[in-house]
Amino acid sequence: MVGKKRSEFLGQREKDPLAYYASSDHDGVAPFEDPKDRLDKSVREASIFQEFCASFKTYFGSEILAREAGEDPPDFYGVIDGQRYSIELTELIDSEFRKQQKQAFKQGLRLDLNTSYGVTRPFWNEALFRASIMTRLETKSRRYMRPTNALKNLDVLVIHCHDHFLEANSVRRWLERVAFGLPPNISRAFILLDYHTETKDYPLFELG
């Protein structure tokens, strides 16, 4: 989208931010669902961080206090049980499906995470889940090892997945069988799933 049409679309941010973030009128993927939309990165991260803090209290019994934005890296800092932690966010996405969404948009179709409209989409399985998690762990570990980074070690990594096809029961079952070895410069890692209608929260699991 270029020119006047794009300007009108982005103008929605001022008129009705909620409608803008949920709209897929730009390229077939709503800004709030697309981690590659750099324009809205801070909005996405703030929302995910709030979800993580709420779920951490629910599932692990501790409240994250003194929350503040980090220097990127890390994305945030928070105090847990009296100790300050660096907290980094990353997202687990089906990149191939994102491409299909944008390609379909050009053809006048709309695809979302629940409907494929004839487009073949692989469902999550244990092997794909394990490989995807390991990739995110390794990628973030390498990022913190860059010579330009002042912070070499990360206290908490949160892997968020806004994908209804990745179900909490499946993740729970796979984690019982799969042991994830964390990189030496990442102390703790969690996977945060999308809102679950039955439990009425955002399921949170610790890796490792």
Side-chain angles (χ1 to χ4, degrees):
M1 184 184 296
V2 295
K4 183 179 179 181
K5 190 175 181 181
R6 176 176 173 79
S7 297
E8 291 176 350
F9 175 69
L10 295 180
Q12 293 179 20
R13 298 182 79 192
E14 302 299 328
K15 297 178 181 178
D16 191 344
L18 291 179
Y20 163 77
Y21 291 123
S23 173
S24 57
D25 289 342
H26 172 36
D27 58 5
V29 181
F32 205 71
E33 294 183 349
D34 191 356
K36 295 187 179 300
D37 193 325
R38 307 299 295 183
L39 186 65
D40 303 292
K41 183 174 184 288
S42 61
V43 176
R44 285 183 58 76
E45 289 184 343
S47 175
I48 294 170
F49 185 53
Q50 289 179 358
E51 294 167 6
F52 169 68
C53 291
S55 292
F56 192 83
K57 183 177 181 179
T58 298
Y59 286 84
F60 295 89
S62 295
E63 187 170 1
I64 301 178
L65 305 172
R67 308 170 193 173
E68 59 179 313
E71 299 85 5
D72 192 20
D75 294 315
F76 297 94
Y77 288 102
V79 174
I80 304 174
D81 297 331
Q83 183 174 342
R84 190 170 187 252
Y85 288 88
S86 56
I87 303 171
E88 179 79 9
L89 308 180
T90 188
E91 298 211 45
L92 189 67
I93 65 170
D94 185 339
S95 58
E96 183 58 35
F97 185 66
R98 286 288 188 264
K99 294 178 184 177
Q100 292 177 356
Q101 283 182 292
K102 295 183 178 182
Q103 290 171 355
F105 180 79
K106 295 177 181 178
Q107 300 170 9
L109 300 174
R110 294 296 182 94
L111 309 185
D112 59 34
L113 290 171
N114 295 305
T115 312
S116 65
Y117 292 99
V119 177
T120 301
R121 183 191 181 201
F123 286 88
W124 288 95
N125 55 54
E126 186 173 333
L128 177 60
F129 174 75
R130 177 168 185 164
S132 300
I133 291 293
M134 291 306 301
T135 296
R136 300 315 306 146
L137 289 172
E138 292 167 1
T139 298
K140 284 300 179 180
S141 176
R142 287 196 301 269
R143 182 189 183 195
Y144 274 79
M145 292 302 291
R146 291 175 184 170
T148 54
N149 283 352
L151 187 66
K152 303 298 183 185
N153 297 297
L154 175 64
D155 296 319
V156 177
L157 176 65
V158 180
I159 303 174
H160 174 254
C161 187
H162 179 76
D163 190 333
H164 302 304
F165 282 113
L166 185 58
E167 300 176 344
N169 290 336
S170 296
V171 171
R172 185 178 295 106
R173 184 172 65 253
W174 296 336
L175 289 178
E176 290 175 352
R177 297 198 295 258
V178 178
F180 288 95
L182 300 183
N185 61 333
I186 298 178
S187 299
R188 300 180 72 179
F190 299 84
I191 179 166
L192 176 68
L193 301 185
D194 198 23
Y195 185 78
H196 196 287
T197 55
E198 292 183 5
T199 59
K200 294 181 172 55
D201 61 17
Y202 298 84
L204 182 67
F205 303 90
E206 185 162 11
L207 304 175

